[in-house]
Amino acid sequence: MKINNIEEINALVGDSERILLTTHTNPDGDAIGSSLGLYHFLKDMGKAVSVLVPNKYPGFISWLPGDDHILVYESEPKRAQQLISEAQLVFCLDYNAIHRSGSLQDVLKVSSVPRIMIDHHPEPVAADFTYLISTTETSSTSELICEFILQMKNGPELSRDIATCLFVGIMTDTGSFSFACNRPRTFEVTAVLMKTGIDVEYIHRRVYDTFSEDRLRLLGYSLSEKLVVKREFATAYIALSRNELEQFNYRVGDTEGIVNYALSIEGINMAVLLTERKGRIRLSFRSKGDFSVNELAREHFNGGGHRNAAGGDVYDTLRKAVLQLEDLLPTYKDALLNVRED
């Protein structure tokens, strides 16, 4: 783990009374889990801590302890701006560039207080932050937060609330420990969390066994009616319009995991989910082996992420986004057909 000035970070946390924790836009299980895990730790230290996220997040993680203390910027911008102005220290969790914080970026940029980035995505924009704790080898930001807590001097012990939140972050960012988890240290950290007495089976049920009927029917529709398989490019994709999403009473998080079903097809090395949002088309990429969807998303879709999981956007119609994706496939044909598994 690459740690910049950990002694200074320790001192800075110790000297700061009002601390703000922020995440990337469209926060996922790791963003929320890492934020709430650190929130409980800092609260146990006696700090005045706030968690601020740019927009709404999926309901399957809204049961986490401390969820009622999360402020959504798009819902309460004035209160959020006040929190930012009062903060003495800002943590930037699970994102590696200020613009990844979406609607928060403008108010964060004008804040003069130190910013500490803790993240596991590649190519961080170092100039955006005062301190960085950054590595691409770690499963999740939640794992990094656990390591950070364990290295904090004179800090409180891990509580069940801390462990529950961090476990959810690790579990969701590894797909229930099915990818990004080849390091023994990931399981050692997980064991540390489990030793607090958390109920792992209960946690798994709360995250993965609480689908609404609408969400399950949307999944069935996506696979039976919308799945396009391009075997000549080892690629599959699903494109969902706003009307189709509304047909199934779409709520934030309902499309989570759909892209993984497309990737599970034998012989498919890249899968893409395209969803029509207000003013843009969101693309979620997944890949196998050494094919980097991070590079593809960065170069062509104003996005990025990890080698095998990334996101991007097209500011046009759904049809144009699909055509743009299909037009790119011949360029990547050789790489897609000759993927090397690690």
Side-chain angles (χ1 to χ4, degrees):
M1 178 166 46
K2 176 186 177 185
I3 302 178
N4 293 359
N5 303 306
I6 189 63
E7 296 296 331
E8 290 185 30
I9 293 174
N10 272 316
L12 193 57
V13 171
D15 293 339
S16 301
E17 292 303 318
R18 296 185 301 278
I19 301 175
L20 180 65
L21 314 181
T22 64
T23 75
H24 56 75
T25 191
N26 303 317
D28 55 8
D30 190 25
I32 298 299
S34 60
S35 298
L36 287 178
L38 185 56
Y39 166 83
H40 288 294
F41 177 76
L42 294 173
K43 287 286 286 185
D44 289 347
M45 289 182 67
K47 305 297 181 182
V49 195
S50 301
V51 180
L52 177 61
V53 301
N55 54 353
K56 291 182 179 179
Y57 47 92
F60 61 79
I61 48 177
S62 64
W63 59 272
L64 285 171
D67 172 78
D68 54 334
H69 294 286
I70 295 178
L71 182 67
V72 178
Y73 180 83
E74 291 185 355
S75 299
E76 299 184 71
K78 288 186 178 179
R79 186 179 167 204
Q81 290 169 11
Q82 182 179 353
L83 285 177
I84 294 173
S85 67
E86 293 175 350
Q88 297 171 300
L89 178 64
V90 174
F91 277 88
C92 303
L93 304 179
D94 204 36
Y95 65 99
N96 61 0
I98 289 296
H99 74 271
R100 299 288 182 203
S101 64
S103 55
L104 292 181
Q105 60 180 307
D106 290 337
V107 285
L108 285 178
K109 284 177 181 177
V110 298
S111 173
S112 60
V113 303
R115 291 194 288 263
I116 300 173
M117 184 203 84
I118 303 182
D119 180 59
H120 67 135
H121 294 90
E123 303 178 42
V125 181
D128 284 350
F129 310 98
T130 314
Y131 299 98
L132 294 83
I133 298 177
S134 175
T135 175
T136 58
E137 297 177 358
T138 305
S139 70
S140 54
T141 298
S142 291
E143 183 180 336
L144 277 174
I145 291 294
C146 188
E147 297 279 25
F148 174 72
I149 287 173
L150 294 174
Q151 293 180 68
M152 283 288 290
K153 294 181 178 178
N154 304 316
E157 293 185 1
L158 284 170
S159 66
R160 284 192 184 186
D161 284 349
I162 295 172
T164 295
C165 297
L166 297 183
F167 185 89
V168 165
I170 296 172
M171 181 180 71
T172 54
D173 238 33
T174 60
S176 285
F177 302 94
S178 63
F179 52 82
C181 58
N182 276 333
R183 294 171 65 251
R185 183 58 182 164
T186 298
F187 293 92
E188 292 168 359
V189 168
T190 302
V192 169
L193 299 176
M194 292 176 67
K195 286 178 181 178
T196 65
I198 60 174
D199 188 336
V200 170
E201 294 178 7
Y202 170 78
I203 291 171
H204 191 278
R205 287 196 302 271
R206 289 300 304 261
V207 173
Y208 294 111
D209 297 339
T210 55
F211 279 24
S212 67
E213 180 182 343
D214 286 327
R215 179 178 175 183
L216 198 59
R217 291 188 182 279
L218 173 61
L219 171 61
Y221 173 78
S222 300
L223 298 178
S224 66
E225 305 297 327
K226 303 298 292 185
L227 177 65
V228 176
V229 178
K230 298 282 188 179
R231 291 199 175 272
E232 66 273 29
F233 302 114
T235 295
Y237 69 82
I238 295 168
L240 296 169
S241 69
R242 288 189 72 184
N243 286 339
E244 288 170 319
L245 292 173
E246 290 171 1
Q247 178 184 338
F248 294 94
N249 301 310
Y250 173 78
R251 293 182 299 175
V252 173
D254 280 356
T255 57
E256 188 82 17
I258 290 179
V259 67
N260 296 322
Y261 285 92
L263 189 65
S264 70
I265 300 172
E266 184 177 6
I268 295 302
N269 292 323
M270 180 175 73
V272 189
L273 173 67
L274 304 92
T275 52
E276 186 177 15
R277 311 286 178 88
K278 187 176 181 180
R280 66 190 172 102
I281 309 302
R282 182 64 180 170
L283 295 93
S284 296
F285 298 91
R286 298 293 185 271
S287 66
K288 297 173 182 173
D290 64 348
F291 185 81
S292 175
V293 287
N294 172 48
E295 293 181 8
L296 187 149
R298 279 177 177 268
E299 187 169 347
H300 301 287
F301 296 100
N302 307 297
H306 301 286
R307 183 179 68 179
N308 299 123
D313 294 293
V314 170
Y315 296 91
D316 210 319
T317 65
L318 182 61
R319 179 176 175 275
K320 290 287 185 64
V322 169
L323 288 175
Q324 183 177 340
L325 174 65
E326 289 191 340
D327 287 346
L328 284 172
L329 294 179
T331 304
Y332 292 93
K333 181 176 181 178
D334 289 343
L336 284 166
L337 294 176
N338 297 284
V339 164
R340 295 194 317 272
E341 297 285 349
D342 290 344

